[in-house]
Amino acid sequence: REIMRRILSLVLVLVLLVPAAALAGTAVSGTLPANSSDIVDRLLNAFDFKFDDKKEGIGYGKCPVYTAPSEDAYRLADGKASVDTNDAMDVSGYDASGWLLVRYRTNSGSTRVGYIPRKYIRGYRAEMPKLDFDPVPVRAAEEIWVTDNPRGTETSAAFFARLDAGEDFLILGKYTYTGNWWYIECTVDGQTARGFIDRDTSAFIADGVEYRSYKDLGIPGRSPEGTEPSGVVTVVYEENCIVRRSTSVESAMVARAHPGDQYPYYQVSGEWYRVWIDGVWGWIHSSLVRAD
């Protein structure tokens, strides 16, 4: 049994060392940009953003909200979507043109995400990173539904658009703090719109290759620091353990691991392993895992 375990571990390491492009899905016809490995790495390293809670609001009164950072962009609520910034709300960051990405509650109690124009919030300085989206052109392989509520589920989310098979759109980033979503840009009624699609079930074509789920992308060929996979770690801690954003026990949680789980690691920093887990990057302490 021990010999078999070692053989399986070796096989898994060899598999993880295969470039991400080689783990891609089945090729189909398409005319999107070339260089599949670059496209795959860009998708796997897509900007992962979150929202910070502002219980007292940000104090700029009632502001219009658009699904994308443009006053020509699609606007929900029959073109009247707005937020009272004096109430509790969440903020994520600024796009390149200074529009603020926010999440707020609607009158019905659901959650909505969109952008406040820069001119309505001049003087506000949020301590958060710039929204570093990297637009990747893809094409819907089948029908995909788009929501502005990343706190919903596939059944409870309020879908405001549908992408038909063959329709082009952009994957901008991902949102994994609640749920597991791609953040995309598409066209709705002739207007630019942004929203969320399910990463587990949304099938798309990138560089002539079809991916039925984000899992079909395989593992990244490199980490954000540029390091390549070195092997795998197996969780040996008997209880659930936390994967953190940085190499500190005080750092925020990005994922939770479970006994027996295995993840590729890309570098070692002191007592921490840089790991790729469930589509996000994080650090896991060596006391929780065994490296193979």
Side-chain angles (χ1 to χ4, degrees), residues 41-48 132 134 171-174 182:
D41 267 350
R42 287 169 64 193
L43 289 170
L44 289 172
N45 287 291
F47 181 65
D48 195 5
D132 191 21
D134 176 22
I171 292 181
L172 304 176
K174 61 190 176 188
W182 289 117

Side-chain angles (χ1 to χ4, degrees), residues 92-116:
S92 181
Y94 293 102
D95 87 316
S97 58
W99 286 52
L100 183 65
L101 182 61
V102 302
R103 181 178 63 196
Y104 61 100
R105 291 277 185 180
T106 66
N107 293 333
S108 64
S110 64
T111 299
R112 178 167 286 163
V113 169
Y115 292 83
I116 297 176

